[in-house]
Amino acid sequence: MAGAGVAALGLVGCGGGSSSNNGANGLATPTPSAKASATVDPFAGAKKGGTLNVTSVTDPPTIDPYGNTSYTTKGLAAYVYSRLYMYKTAPGVLGPDTKPIPDGAESGEGTPDNLKWTLKLRKNLNFHNVAPVNGRAVTTDDVKFSYGRAIDPKNGNASRLTSVVDKVEYPDASTIVMTLKAPYAPFLDLLADTNVFFIMPTESDTKFNPTTTMIGSGPWLFGSYTPSVGFK
């Protein structure tokens, strides 16, 4: 896949501490180190562009993100398609400490009773510049289309949304209003979950086949897929 950005994994080391003998109780107690070790930015000097090389041990059942619940399908989709929210990751941040942050959405605001959420699409959010989408802006028409696919009974994960969301409204081209059946504390986590929702262009319904190609608004461009050989 050709990338619009560079992905990297880094580890940040923690500075060590010194200890001294406490004469009162004979216990060694830690004391702050005299000089804290500097934090190294693993992304310093990173440049946009380039190629991301990943290894897969098996073929996904399909590359259509709503075509199967397999982690191989969902994991691949996360490279190409945006979600409304995503999990913020960084070197040294453990999985349980990650928090949902806007991805395709620019913001999300809940009412005081947490029954209604208003989300705004990110400005200048565009699909990849590939026919037949040709870099056009992402709109709520695409979100509405994608939500329809997400809650289709044929989608094995449909109940993840239908059990929580009562209705979705699209007042304009950039606003989504989601009304819940009851307050649901991890609602933004639900939107960030790669098992649940991806934004696909409406063109994927009739103008290109999402089982053979992928066109999204995520950070990586899809080139081609040859089963049992690889992706580009």
Side-chain angles (χ1 to χ4, degrees):
M1 294 180 187
V6 175
L9 173 65
L11 299 176
V12 178
C14 298
S18 60
S19 61
S20 61
N21 194 324
N22 186 322
N25 54 23
L27 297 177
T29 57
T31 58
S33 58
K35 183 177 181 180
S37 51
T39 300
V40 178
D41 180 3
F43 302 110
K47 298 178 181 179
K48 290 184 177 182
T51 300
L52 173 67
N53 295 312
V54 246
T55 300
S56 177
V57 297
T58 185
D59 288 318
T62 176
I63 62 173
D64 179 352
Y66 295 117
N68 195 277
T69 58
S70 169
Y71 77 94
T72 54
T73 293
K74 304 298 186 180
L76 178 64
Y79 290 112
V80 178
Y81 295 103
S82 297
R83 288 158 277 166
L84 289 171
Y85 270 70
M86 63 181 289
Y87 284 108
K88 179 177 176 59
T89 58
V93 178
L94 301 178
D97 297 326
T98 57
K99 304 296 181 185
I101 61 170
D103 182 18
E106 181 177 72
S107 63
E109 184 176 351
T111 54
D113 60 6
N114 283 326
L115 280 175
K116 184 176 288 189
W117 285 84
T118 300
L119 300 97
K120 290 284 189 179
L121 287 179
R122 179 158 46 92
K123 295 179 179 66
N124 300 318
L125 178 64
N126 293 81
F127 287 112
H128 302 150
N129 192 17
V130 178
V133 179
N134 299 318
R136 70 165 177 83
V138 178
T139 73
T140 50
D141 285 342
D142 303 296
V143 177
K144 183 177 182 179
F145 166 77
S146 301
Y147 189 78
R149 293 210 61 198
I151 64 172
D152 188 318
K154 292 181 291 187
N155 175 21
N157 286 326
S159 63
R160 296 282 303 277
L161 285 169
T162 57
S163 63
V164 173
V165 180
D166 182 41
K167 64 178 180 178
V168 184
E169 300 166 285
Y170 308 91
D172 57 49
S174 62
T175 306
I176 306 131
V177 180
M178 309 184 87
T179 302
L180 310 188
K181 295 180 177 179
Y184 187 66
F187 179 62
L188 295 182
D189 291 86
L190 180 66
L191 297 182
D193 191 336
T194 55
N195 292 295
V196 177
F197 189 76
F198 289 100
I199 302 173
M200 301 182 70
T202 56
E203 288 88 344
S204 63
D205 189 27
T206 58
K207 294 185 178 180
F208 74 88
N209 185 352
T211 67
T212 59
T213 193
M214 306 170 77
I215 304 173
S217 54
W220 301 97
L221 294 171
F222 173 82
S224 63
Y225 167 47
T226 305
S228 300
V229 176
F231 300 89
K232 292 182 180 178

